[in-house]
PDB file of all heavy atoms in Angstrom:
ATOM      1  N   ALA A1369      77.024 114.897  87.013  1.00 89.00           N
ATOM      2  CA  ALA A1369      75.866 114.019  87.195  1.00 89.00           C
ATOM      3  C   ALA A1369      76.136 112.644  86.597  1.00 89.00           C
ATOM      4  O   ALA A1369      75.810 111.603  87.199  1.00 89.00           O
ATOM      5  CB  ALA A1369      74.627 114.650  86.563  1.00 89.00           C
ATOM      6  N   ALA A1370      76.781 112.615  85.432  1.00 90.00           N
ATOM      7  CA  ALA A1370      77.076 111.333  84.802  1.00 90.00           C
ATOM      8  C   ALA A1370      78.125 110.560  85.595  1.00 90.00           C
ATOM      9  O   ALA A1370      78.009 109.319  85.732  1.00 90.00           O
ATOM     10  CB  ALA A1370      77.583 111.593  83.367  1.00 90.00           C
ATOM     11  N   LYS A1371      79.128 111.256  86.121  1.00 90.00           N
ATOM     12  CA  LYS A1371      80.132 110.569  86.938  1.00 90.00           C
ATOM     13  C   LYS A1371      79.511 109.967  88.189  1.00 90.00           C
ATOM     14  O   LYS A1371      79.817 108.835  88.552  1.00 90.00           O
ATOM     15  CB  LYS A1371      81.244 111.544  87.289  1.00 90.00           C
ATOM     16  CG  LYS A1371      82.110 111.990  86.106  1.00 90.00           C
ATOM     17  CD  LYS A1371      83.121 113.046  86.516  1.00 90.00           C
ATOM     18  CE  LYS A1371      83.933 113.542  85.328  1.00 90.00           C
ATOM     19  NZ  LYS A1371      84.882 114.615  85.705  1.00 90.00           N
ATOM     20  N   GLY A1372      78.671 110.748  88.868  1.00 90.00           N
ATOM     21  CA  GLY A1372      78.022 110.240  90.068  1.00 90.00           C
ATOM     22  C   GLY A1372      77.114 109.056  89.770  1.00 90.00           C
ATOM     23  O   GLY A1372      77.032 108.104  90.535  1.00 90.00           O
ATOM     24  N   ALA A1373      76.413 109.135  88.607  1.00 93.00           N
ATOM     25  CA  ALA A1373      75.550 108.017  88.210  1.00 93.00           C
ATOM     26  C   ALA A1373      76.390 106.753  87.931  1.00 93.00           C
ATOM     27  O   ALA A1373      75.999 105.636  88.305  1.00 93.00           O
ATOM     28  CB  ALA A1373      74.763 108.397  86.963  1.00 93.00           C
ATOM     29  N   ALA A1374      77.535 106.925  87.280  1.00 94.00           N
ATOM     30  CA  ALA A1374      78.393 105.766  87.015  1.00 94.00           C
ATOM     31  C   ALA A1374      78.914 105.162  88.302  1.00 94.00           C
ATOM     32  O   ALA A1374      78.977 103.929  88.438  1.00 94.00           O
ATOM     33  CB  ALA A1374      79.566 106.189  86.134  1.00 94.00           C
ATOM     34  N   LEU A1375      79.251 105.996  89.288  1.00 93.00           N
ATOM     35  CA  LEU A1375      79.694 105.476  90.580  1.00 93.00           C
ATOM     36  C   LEU A1375      78.563 104.733  91.293  1.00 93.00           C
ATOM     37  O   LEU A1375      78.814 103.692  91.932  1.00 93.00           O
ATOM     38  CB  LEU A1375      80.199 106.627  91.428  1.00 93.00           C
ATOM     39  CG  LEU A1375      81.513 107.292  90.965  1.00 93.00           C
ATOM     40  CD1 LEU A1375      81.780 108.559  91.747  1.00 93.00           C
ATOM     41  CD2 LEU A1375      82.675 106.310  91.105  1.00 93.00           C
ATOM     42  N   SER A1376      77.330 105.234  91.194  1.00 93.00           N
ATOM     43  CA  SER A1376      76.167 104.527  91.793  1.00 93.00           C
ATOM     44  C   SER A1376      75.987 103.177  91.156  1.00 93.00           C
ATOM     45  O   SER A1376      75.727 102.155  91.838  1.00 93.00           O
ATOM     46  CB  SER A1376      74.941 105.371  91.643  1.00 93.00           C
ATOM     47  OG  SER A1376      75.047 106.621  92.241  1.00 93.00           O
ATOM     48  N   PHE A1377      76.139 103.131  89.842  1.00 94.00           N
ATOM     49  CA  PHE A1377      76.014 101.838  89.143  1.00 94.00           C
ATOM     50  C   PHE A1377      77.102 100.880  89.572  1.00 94.00           C
ATOM     51  O   PHE A1377      76.846  99.685  89.755  1.00 94.00           O
ATOM     52  CB  PHE A1377      76.096 102.119  87.636  1.00 94.00           C
ATOM     53  CG  PHE A1377      75.793 100.921  86.783  1.00 94.00           C
ATOM     54  CD1 PHE A1377      74.901  99.946  87.185  1.00 94.00           C
ATOM     55  CD2 PHE A1377      76.420 100.742  85.550  1.00 94.00           C
ATOM     56  CE1 PHE A1377      74.614  98.846  86.404  1.00 94.00           C
ATOM     57  CE2 PHE A1377      76.171  99.658  84.752  1.00 94.00           C
ATOM     58  CZ  PHE A1377      75.246  98.717  85.160  1.00 94.00           C
ATOM     59  N   GLY A1378      78.323 101.395  89.758  1.00 93.00           N
ATOM     60  CA  GLY A1378      79.420 100.549  90.182  1.00 93.00           C
ATOM     61  C   GLY A1378      79.218  99.989  91.586  1.00 93.00           C
ATOM     62  O   GLY A1378      79.687  98.899  91.899  1.00 93.00           O
ATOM     63  N   ALA A1379      78.478 100.705  92.441  1.00 93.00           N
ATOM     64  CA  ALA A1379      78.196 100.201  93.778  1.00 93.00           C
ATOM     65  C   ALA A1379      77.426  98.900  93.736  1.00 93.00           C
ATOM     66  O   ALA A1379      77.579  98.018  94.587  1.00 93.00           O
ATOM     67  CB  ALA A1379      77.466 101.264  94.595  1.00 93.00           C
ATOM     68  N   GLY A1380      76.529  98.765  92.740  1.00 92.00           N
ATOM     69  CA  GLY A1380      75.792  97.500  92.577  1.00 92.00           C
ATOM     70  C   GLY A1380      76.698  96.327  92.327  1.00 92.00           C
ATOM     71  O   GLY A1380      76.506  95.238  92.900  1.00 92.00           O
ATOM     72  N   PHE A1381      77.700  96.501  91.462  1.00 93.00           N
ATOM     73  CA  PHE A1381      78.664  95.428  91.212  1.00 93.00           C
ATOM     74  C   PHE A1381      79.474  95.134  92.464  1.00 93.00           C
ATOM     75  O   PHE A1381      79.791  93.964  92.735  1.00 93.00           O
ATOM     76  CB  PHE A1381      79.607  95.844  90.075  1.00 93.00           C
ATOM     77  CG  PHE A1381      78.961  95.809  88.720  1.00 93.00           C
ATOM     78  CD1 PHE A1381      78.364  96.954  88.205  1.00 93.00           C
ATOM     79  CD2 PHE A1381      78.942  94.655  87.965  1.00 93.00           C
ATOM     80  CE1 PHE A1381      77.772  96.952  86.960  1.00 93.00           C
ATOM     81  CE2 PHE A1381      78.370  94.641  86.712  1.00 93.00           C
ATOM     82  CZ  PHE A1381      77.782  95.789  86.207  1.00 93.00           C
ATOM     83  N   LEU A1382      79.819  96.165  93.210  1.00 93.00           N
ATOM     84  CA  LEU A1382      80.609  95.967  94.442  1.00 93.00           C
ATOM     85  C   LEU A1382      79.857  95.099  95.441  1.00 93.00           C
ATOM     86  O   LEU A1382      80.404  94.174  96.024  1.00 93.00           O
ATOM     87  CB  LEU A1382      80.913  97.346  95.073  1.00 93.00           C
ATOM     88  CG  LEU A1382      81.688  97.329  96.381  1.00 93.00           C
ATOM     89  CD1 LEU A1382      83.070  96.734  96.197  1.00 93.00           C
ATOM     90  CD2 LEU A1382      81.813  98.731  96.954  1.00 93.00           C
ATOM     91  N   VAL A1383      78.581  95.388  95.668  1.00 92.00           N
ATOM     92  CA  VAL A1383      77.792  94.620  96.620  1.00 92.00           C
ATOM     93  C   VAL A1383      77.519  93.209  96.086  1.00 92.00           C
ATOM     94  O   VAL A1383      77.578  92.228  96.848  1.00 92.00           O
ATOM     95  CB  VAL A1383      76.469  95.332  96.936  1.00 92.00           C
ATOM     96  CG1 VAL A1383      75.608  94.506  97.896  1.00 92.00           C
ATOM     97  CG2 VAL A1383      76.737  96.705  97.558  1.00 92.00           C
ATOM     98  N   ALA A1384      77.279  93.089  94.790  1.00 90.00           N
ATOM     99  CA  ALA A1384      77.034  91.769  94.209  1.00 90.00           C
ATOM    100  C   ALA A1384      78.236  90.856  94.378  1.00 90.00           C
ATOM    101  O   ALA A1384      78.110  89.665  94.695  1.00 90.00           O
ATOM    102  CB  ALA A1384      76.674  91.889  92.739  1.00 90.00           C
ATOM    103  N   GLY A1385      79.434  91.407  94.207  1.00 89.00           N
ATOM    104  CA  GLY A1385      80.626  90.608  94.364  1.00 89.00           C
ATOM    105  C   GLY A1385      80.918  90.220  95.805  1.00 89.00           C
ATOM    106  O   GLY A1385      81.521  89.178  96.072  1.00 89.00           O
ATOM    107  N   SER A1386      80.530  91.071  96.741  1.00 90.00           N
ATOM    108  CA  SER A1386      80.835  90.805  98.145  1.00 90.00           C
ATOM    109  C   SER A1386      79.653  90.243  98.904  1.00 90.00           C
ATOM    110  O   SER A1386      79.677  90.175 100.153  1.00 90.00           O
ATOM    111  CB  SER A1386      81.270  92.127  98.832  1.00 90.00           C
ATOM    112  OG  SER A1386      80.272  93.109  98.707  1.00 90.00           O
ATOM    113  N   LEU A1387      78.605  89.795  98.196  1.00 88.00           N
ATOM    114  CA  LEU A1387      77.393  89.322  98.874  1.00 88.00           C
ATOM    115  C   LEU A1387      77.625  88.167  99.829  1.00 88.00           C
ATOM    116  O   LEU A1387      77.088  88.164 100.932  1.00 88.00           O
ATOM    117  CB  LEU A1387      76.331  88.957  97.814  1.00 88.00           C
ATOM    118  CG  LEU A1387      74.938  88.672  98.359  1.00 88.00           C
ATOM    119  CD1 LEU A1387      74.387  89.877  99.081  1.00 88.00           C
ATOM    120  CD2 LEU A1387      74.001  88.266  97.218  1.00 88.00           C
ATOM    121  N   PRO A1388      78.437  87.156  99.460  1.00 87.00           N
ATOM    122  CA  PRO A1388      78.664  86.065 100.440  1.00 87.00           C
ATOM    123  C   PRO A1388      79.273  86.548 101.753  1.00 87.00           C
ATOM    124  O   PRO A1388      78.935  86.055 102.814  1.00 87.00           O
ATOM    125  CB  PRO A1388      79.616  85.143  99.683  1.00 87.00           C
ATOM    126  CG  PRO A1388      79.394  85.421  98.233  1.00 87.00           C
ATOM    127  CD  PRO A1388      79.075  86.882  98.165  1.00 87.00           C
TER     128      PRO A1388
END
Side-chain angles (χ1 to χ4, degrees):
K1371 292 175 182 177
L1375 291 170
S1376 301
F1377 188 33
F1381 287 92
L1382 177 64
V1383 178
S1386 58
L1387 190 59

